[in-house]
């Protein structure tokens, strides 16, 4: 269960963990908090601009000075292969729609799946369906502004 780059240019950048109240999951989408620390990008956050996809699992008890690799998109429309939540059910009619991250906060799914049926926070734009439990999509709002999203 994770975000895996399918198409587009990315680069690895390293950031500090800092916060001892959050774990990070390899394959989960992350953002920077007000102190420039990595935190998981949750469905209920008011600032949901994604920095990129975390590439290392980090527990709450790990050192706060770790340098964590994050795969950061460097162009518009980087397409990711994304697992859906346990409800699954992605269908062809979902292509072209926005959806939210899964609200589960268990360490196995935190910010690493999308909830196709939840469109409250429009975090991911669905560009294709692989199966009922896997979609292709782009991050709708990113920390680095690349302008409007165009999938043509």
């Amino acid at each position: 269960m994770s975000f895996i780059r399918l198409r587009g240019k990315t680069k690895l950048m390293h950031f500090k963990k800092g916060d001892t109240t959050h774990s990070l999951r390899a394959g989960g989408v992350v953002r920077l908090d007000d102190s420039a620390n990595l935190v998981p990008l949750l469905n209920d956050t008011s600032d949901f601009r994604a920095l990129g996809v975390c590439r290392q699992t980090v527990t709450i008890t790990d050192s706060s000075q770790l340098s964590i690799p994050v795969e950061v998109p460097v162009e518009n429309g980087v397409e990711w292969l994304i697992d859906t939540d346990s409800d699954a059910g992605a269908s062809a009619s979902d292509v072209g729609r926005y959806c939210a991250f899964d609200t589960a906060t268990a360490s196995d799914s935190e910010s690493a799946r999308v909830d196709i049926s939840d469109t409250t926070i429009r975090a991911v734009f669905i560009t294709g369906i692989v199966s009922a439990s896997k979609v292709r999509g782009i991050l709708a709002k990113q920390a680095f502004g690349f302008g409007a999203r165009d999938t043509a």
Side-chain angles (χ1 to χ4, degrees):
M1 291 179 278
S2 64
F3 279 64
I4 300 170
R5 183 177 51 84
L6 188 63
R7 287 185 201 93
K9 294 180 184 176
T10 61
K11 70 177 181 177
L12 276 182
M13 296 178 72
H14 290 79
F15 299 89
K16 66 178 184 165
K17 175 183 172 255
D19 191 342
T20 57
T21 60
H22 293 284
S23 60
L24 301 172
R25 183 181 187 286
V29 179
V30 293
R31 68 178 179 90
L32 293 175
D33 66 10
D34 294 338
S35 300
N37 296 312
L38 284 178
V39 293
L41 196 131
L42 302 176
N43 193 24
D44 60 356
T45 183
S46 59
D47 180 8
F48 59 96
R49 291 188 180 273
L51 175 64
V53 177
C54 187
R55 290 297 171 218
Q56 177 180 342
T57 297
V58 182
T59 66
I60 291 173
T61 58
D62 286 342
S63 168
S64 63
Q65 298 306 313
L66 287 177
S67 179
I68 310 299
V70 177
E71 188 172 4
V72 178
V74 295
E75 68 179 6
N76 247 348
V78 172
E79 195 170 27
W80 303 90
L81 193 57
I82 311 164
D83 291 314
T84 62
D85 65 356
S86 57
D87 301 339
S91 65
S93 64
D94 293 317
V95 174
R97 293 183 52 223
Y98 288 91
C99 66
F101 292 105
D102 188 13
T103 55
T105 56
S107 62
D108 67 336
S109 63
E110 191 167 43
S111 302
R113 300 186 298 189
V114 293
D115 185 345
I116 293 292
S117 60
D118 184 355
T119 58
T120 306
I121 295 180
R122 300 163 54 131
V124 175
F125 181 76
I126 304 300
T127 59
I129 305 298
V130 176
S131 69
S133 60
K134 194 171 293 282
V135 298
R136 294 188 323 260
I138 62 173
L139 296 171
K141 291 195 175 185
Q142 297 177 39
F144 305 111
F146 296 118
R149 300 289 178 251
D150 183 2
T151 58

